[in-house]
Amino acid sequence: VRVGVDGAGVGSPDSLGVAGAVLVQVTYAAGPVKSAQRNKVLADAFKLAWLRSQVPTARTVIVVNEPFERLFVTGAWLPAALTQQGVEVALVRGGATPEVARMLA
């Protein structure tokens, strides 16, 4: 099976000194989120959840910008499902620098 992700690398070593894989999907929207963009985020999230089941030690992160924030509000089903599957969500604001990212789920 061949699977593409937007970013992959080796994360920092854990407490046992073992470095784990990091798999990242990025989705960007300019202006209001369209249906196709929302569907892409859902597909990316499903892909990361599946990858996590195949590589349990991998850290999986979906990165979105501000227009997608409403999909990940507290109490919504998507962030709850992603948290349960071990998929992290990072929100990038403004200048899109790593220092501006914050974790949503």
Side-chain angles (χ1 to χ4, degrees):
V1 174
R2 181 178 170 185
V3 178
V5 293
D6 293 329
V10 178
S12 302
D14 62 13
S15 61
L16 300 174
V18 178
V22 179
L23 305 171
V24 179
Q25 281 294 136
V26 179
T27 302
Y28 173 84
V33 175
K34 296 178 177 77
S35 180
Q37 293 167 314
R38 181 187 52 105
N39 292 342
K40 182 187 181 313
V41 167
L42 293 172
D44 287 347
F46 182 73
K47 179 185 355 180
L48 289 174
W50 178 78
L51 283 169
R52 183 119 165 80
S53 74
Q54 302 304 301
V55 187
T57 59
R59 180 178 177 199
T60 52
V61 183
I62 188 162
V63 181
V64 297
N65 66 333
E66 292 172 280
F68 291 99
E69 188 171 13
R70 66 180 184 84
L71 298 176
F72 298 97
V73 295
T74 303
W77 73 269
L78 184 56
L82 293 178
T83 298
Q84 186 177 12
Q85 296 300 312
V87 177
E88 301 172 50
V89 179
L91 172 70
V92 177
R93 292 186 184 276
T97 60
E99 297 79 33
V100 186
R102 75 175 172 103
M103 301 313 277
L104 294 177

